[in-house]
């Protein structure tokens, strides 16, 4: 079902900035989707795209097996903007020449605009505003018939080009990155000046269309949703609840590995602020018994995951006639699984028989078109409070993967106390919302210390704070020394059983954000 009145299709040739192009387009309130270059032309046309953007990519168009595209796309009367590799592919497909450049052009460059119209309409010609970001080792040497240069740079006579009659154009720089100071204007000109978009995709309109789509799909059936306390499942539930009210049943499983007070405040939040029907299951004893003596991180994760599905399934059976399972899948997960399509489809197909029954319910994934920051905006639009919408991510296996070695009641107690201090200090200093995640990890070793006149032999807590955009990569947060010092002092003074705090200064990769 095409529920979007206007849609830009971004064809992905493997550039690291493809997702960034999508975000930039959506910032202009124009809906867009990323599709891999292997998508057939017919499928692309079925979307009735208002415009098409061909992304950059790591290959050279003249390589054997270089990613390509059905050249008929260029005669469909749909506006097309090629970016870097995308521009070179368009030019080569239409009869132009692309070759290895004598001088590779990376980083900042300056643009000399020839036509202040089309992509460059209304752009000031002041020196500073023309800075663009190049990243290519190939150069367009000859344009095909019908094309002309619209801008040049120091090393590229065809830094930007356009067809004189058709709405086909390309740039050899990256308008989507912040270093291209005029990038935003260029994309705006493409979307509004060339594709004639209206820019009517807002969270309000997203709610209206998605609510209608959910109602049409679900009818009078029941939907089940697991609440974790995280923003994705809370927003998923709030959106589906808006569509079908009490036909939605939520289940919250307390696995005994939550932060201090988390379960209580989550349940209070769900009953006070939302009108969700929530079944809460206290399974603390079950999980702690299952985890007794387990040290291996993979086995820990598997036991927690298995236990969760088991309990969830038992509860679902009690409800009877449930037809759908709601999940908070986000757009980056969708793109990743599409990119891996060949391999994963075969695997999951083979696995279907072995999947738990609950996974065989029909899925509803209303957030699968959204990025994380858009999910937060949607949460606000649906009336969820800031506190729920802007909370840091928390892993499904909870504190279980922040305790190195065996999980016991005592060790959970130590970690919880340290974790509260980290949270309190991060919040009161204003750093909680500046970082991606901030938490304590309990290490499986004791070290010597001295308290008063006594020798101690106690536990070590590691402080892990990271900056990230999407959790795929991360760097350790440069917190002020006095904040780190305060956290360390408080943990050592207030948490019995800890005499040392260390700071984790690893990036991801090669480390990961969590320790297990
Ligand atoms: P890593 O440790 O892989 O974590 O760098 C990346 C992000 O994912 C979160 N994480 C999880 N979330 N279930 C979840 O729901 C899990 O099993 C899980 N493991 C890691 C982690 O907190 C970080 O935000």
């Amino acid at each position: 079902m095409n529920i979007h009145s206007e849609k830009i299709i971004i064809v992905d040739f493997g550039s690291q900035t493809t997702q960034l192009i999508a975000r930039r387009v959506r910032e202009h309130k124009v809906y867009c989707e990323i599709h891999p270059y292997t998508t057939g032309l017919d499928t692309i046309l079925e979307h009735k795209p208002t415009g098409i953007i061909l992304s950059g990519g790591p290959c050279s168009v003249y390589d054997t097996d270089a990613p390509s595209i059905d050249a008929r796309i260029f005669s469909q009367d749909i506006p097309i903007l090629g970016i870097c590799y995308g521009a070179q592919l368009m030019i080569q497909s239409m009869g132009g020449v692309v070759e290895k450049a004598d001088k590779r052009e990376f980083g900042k460059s300056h643009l000399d605009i020839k036509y202040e119209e089309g992509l460059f309409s209304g752009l000031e010609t002041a020196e500073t505003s023309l800075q663009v970001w190049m990243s290519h080792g190939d150069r367009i040497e000859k344009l095909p018939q019908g094309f002309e240069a619209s801008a040049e740079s120091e090393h590229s006579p065809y830094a930007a080009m356009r067809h004189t009659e058709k709405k086909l154009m390309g740039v050899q720089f990256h308008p989507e990155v912040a270093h291209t100071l005029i990038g935003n204007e260029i994309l705006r000109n493409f979307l509004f000046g060339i594709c004639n978009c209206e820019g009517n995709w807002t969270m309000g309109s997203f709610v209206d269309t998605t609510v209608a789509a959910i109602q049409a799909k679900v009818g009078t059936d029941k939907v089940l949703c697991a609440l974790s306390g995280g923003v994705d499942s809370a927003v998923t539930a709030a959106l589906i609840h808006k569509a079908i009210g009490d036909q939605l049943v939520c289940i919250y499983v307390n696995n005994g590995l939550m932060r201090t007070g988390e379960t209580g405040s989550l349940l209070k939040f769900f009953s006070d602020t939302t009108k969700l029907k929530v079944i809460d299951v206290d399974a603390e004893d079950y999980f702690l018994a299952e985890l007794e003596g387990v040290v291996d991180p993979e086995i820990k994760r598997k036991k927690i995951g298995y236990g969760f599905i088991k309990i969830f399934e038992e509860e679902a059976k009690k409800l009877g006639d449930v037809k759908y399972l709601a999940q908070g899948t986000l757009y980056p997960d969708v793109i990743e699984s599409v990119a891996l399509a060949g391999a994963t489809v075969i695997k999951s197909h083979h696995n279907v028989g072995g999947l738990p029954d609950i996974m065989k319910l029909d899925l509803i994934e209303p957030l699968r078109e959204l990025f994380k920051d858009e999910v937060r905006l949607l949460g606000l639009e649906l009336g969820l409070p800031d506190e729920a919408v802007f909370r840091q991510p928390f892993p499904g296996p909870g504190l279980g993967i922040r305790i190195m070695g065996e999980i016991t009641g005592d060790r959970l107690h130590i970690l919880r106390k340290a974790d509260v201090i980290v949270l309190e200090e991060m919040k009161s200093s204003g750093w909680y919302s500046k970082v991606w995640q901030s938490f304590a990890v309990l290490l499986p070793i004791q070290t010597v210390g001295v308290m008063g006149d006594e020798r101690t032999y106690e536990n070590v807590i590691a402080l892990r704070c990271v900056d990230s955009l999407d959790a795929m990569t991360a760097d350790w947060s440069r917190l002020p020394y006095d904040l780190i010092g305060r956290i360390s002092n408080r943990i050592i003074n207030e948490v019995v059983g800890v005499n040392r705090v260390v700071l984790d200064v690893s990036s991801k990769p090669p480390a990961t954000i969590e320790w297990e």
Side-chain angles (χ1 to χ4, degrees), residues 301 393-397 401-402 436-437 439 471 508 511-516:
R301 276 179 173 274
F394 186 68
I401 54 169
R402 294 180 181 171
W436 176 262
Q437 270 171 293
F439 55 88
K508 173 184 178 174
T512 51
I513 296 176
E514 304 289 345
W515 276 44
E516 283 191 341

Side-chain angles (χ1 to χ4, degrees), residues 317-335:
K317 262 189 205 129
K318 286 184 207 160
L319 288 171
D321 55 341
V322 174
K323 176 132 188 251
Y324 295 98
L325 179 69
Q327 281 187 348
T329 314
L330 303 194
Y331 197 42
D333 312 327
V334 176
I335 301 170

